[in-house]
Amino acid sequence: MSGDEKRKSKRRTSVPTPRGAELDLPPDTVPAGPQEEDLAASMRQAYWSLYDGAAAQATVREIAVRLPRIVGRVGKLAWQADRPATIAVVVLQLASAAMTALGILASVAVLQELFAAGPTPDRVRAAVPQLLLVVGLLSIRALLEAGVALAQARVTPKIRIALEHEFYTLTAHVRLEAVDDADWQDGAYRASQRGLFYARQIVGQVVSLGAALTGLVGTAGVLGILHPALLPLLLLSVLPVGVAAVRSARARFHSYKRYNAIQRRVQVFSWLLLERDAAAELRSDTAQDALLREHLRLSTRIAQEDTRLGVNAARLNVAGRAVGGIGSGVTYTALGGMLIAGWLPLAAGAGAVLAIQAAHTQLTRLVDISHLVYEHALWVDDLLAFQERCRQLQPSRDGRPAPSSVDAITLDKVSFTYPGKDAPALDGISMTLRAGETVAFVGVNGSGKSTCARLLAGLYDTQGDGAVRWDGVDVRELDAASLHARVACVL
């Protein structure tokens, strides 16, 4: 590559770009094999992959303990963005869950009429009012869910705008030396590309999590009303389904980390094969075949990963259904025993079957969404932590205004070392610049010319005991905004 291409390959931009060439397949996530080992060795861990796959590593207990805190944090963001819409989401979601539970109870009433003694036409006519009630409840639930969607549509963009505005306001005003810190740069791009992205999504995910949880609680409440002994049967029936759902969700998250790293690298090669700026060198160096071979090798790995995930998912599904079938068999056997013993009317037994099936669906949904919310919340926490870090790096806002004119600017034993560097760029520099003078800094690259100019302009803070003074006033005592307003830089 030419010098320009190498510089472009180090830019931090959205995929697809050559930035992806730095992305990693962690060795412990790659199956053993010569090609995979070469692939893992050729890539390194990247800043954007910090929390990928975290949900697959967390225990069920860790996720369950953390979820209330996550929901509380998202609720706080929503409350700050739009209080009426947040209240509407909560109230309508609870009402929707209540309609689901009442719908099951109304279905039991329909079945009671249908299973009653007497001619069939009479039983059907007697069930019509209850059937209309079921239809009404389901219609109300649909309207409530539409209301939840509308309220969510109001609050989500407001959260996004608030977070983005605060993020860019903070990053645009941090002290210049922070921007020169590679660790700060990684944090900034991670927060921008991942934190803000998942912050936009997590509101809807938390709403879906609440819907699944309230639906599951409502179903359990219906079973408790029908007969308290049905609650242990619900646990026996849904526990195998929950275990299978947890395993399946973790397999997907593990696979995502492997798949995502390879996919981003494939995008890099695709970019190089299509990009106009690379076309001339690609052809003059006859590098097309090498890139195509690597593209094919990585694409094959992606296909293998897709196949592996599909096979594992099928196995988990079969195992979950087998164990769940046993649990369901025991549940329905116990339910049949309750019906035979007269503990439960036939209509209530049919309603219990409906409730148990609904619980299966809600539990699987709850597990999947819980994993998503857990992992995405780590990125949102990272965004909020980075914003807090930026607040600590803001320049002084409460100093005295900078003077409109300056007779002398003095550097007094000034030293400065860039973040991550051992050798100082400046070490004990002293000089005085007077109004009307023209001063040129001359020296080799890296000798500290630009650093000295930035210190003079108040863009960097001095380190140690040194000071930069405007007419005898330490610039650290001046308001940063007014100071910068007095300075112009020509690059």
Side-chain angles (χ1 to χ4, degrees), residues 43 66 75-76 123 136 151 199 211 217 313 348 351 361 385 462 486:
M43 293 189 284
R66 189 176 175 84
K76 182 178 179 181
R123 283 182 284 166
V217 172
T361 302
T462 58
R486 303 285 186 264

Side-chain angles (χ1 to χ4, degrees), residues 73-160:
R73 173 160 285 186
V74 173
K76 182 178 179 181
L77 291 174
W79 183 260
Q80 292 171 344
D82 191 326
R83 292 185 182 183
T86 303
I87 294 172
V89 167
V90 174
V91 173
L92 294 176
Q93 193 68 75
L94 291 173
S96 176
M99 292 303 105
T100 301
L102 292 174
I104 295 175
L105 290 175
S107 299
V108 172
V110 171
L111 294 172
Q112 286 175 338
E113 296 293 345
L114 293 176
F115 293 155
T120 300
D122 292 342
R123 283 182 284 166
V124 172
R125 281 192 291 269
V128 168
Q130 297 297 334
L131 186 59
L132 292 175
L133 178 60
V134 171
V135 172
L137 291 171
L138 293 178
S139 299
I140 293 173
R141 187 184 70 176
L143 291 174
L144 291 171
E145 289 175 350
V148 170
L150 289 173
Q152 180 184 328
R154 278 185 52 189
V155 72
T156 300
K158 292 181 180 180
I159 292 177
R160 173 181 61 80

Side-chain angles (χ1 to χ4, degrees), residues 9-13 15 17-27 29 40 42-53 182-183 185-187 189-191 193-194 257 260-262 264-265 268 379 382:
S9 71
K10 295 181 181 179
R11 293 182 301 179
R12 289 181 171 92
T13 56
V15 174
T17 71
R19 172 71 182 176
E22 300 177 6
L23 305 184
D24 181 42
L25 248 185
T29 65
S42 65
M43 293 189 284
R44 64 178 180 81
Q45 182 77 22
Y47 69 92
W48 51 262
S49 64
L50 181 63
Y51 299 117
D52 283 348
D183 180 63
Q185 285 282 331
D186 277 353
Y189 280 94
R190 188 172 62 241
Q193 295 176 3
R194 305 302 285 267
K257 187 166 187 176
N260 198 40
I262 304 173
R264 284 177 178 263
R265 188 160 185 176
V268 172
W379 293 107
D382 186 64

Side-chain angles (χ1 to χ4, degrees), residues 175-181 411-429 446-456 458-468 476:
R175 296 195 300 270
L176 185 59
E177 60 263 32
V179 182
D180 292 326
D181 187 348
L411 274 71
D412 182 12
K413 298 179 181 179
V414 168
S415 299
F416 187 85
T417 303
Y418 283 97
K421 301 293 184 181
D422 295 327
L426 296 175
D427 188 8
I429 301 297
S447 60
K449 304 184 299 296
S450 298
T451 305
C452 189
R454 289 168 181 169
L455 283 162
L456 285 167
L459 297 175
Y460 286 159
D461 284 344
T462 58
Q463 299 169 350
D465 297 330
V468 177
R476 287 173 292 193

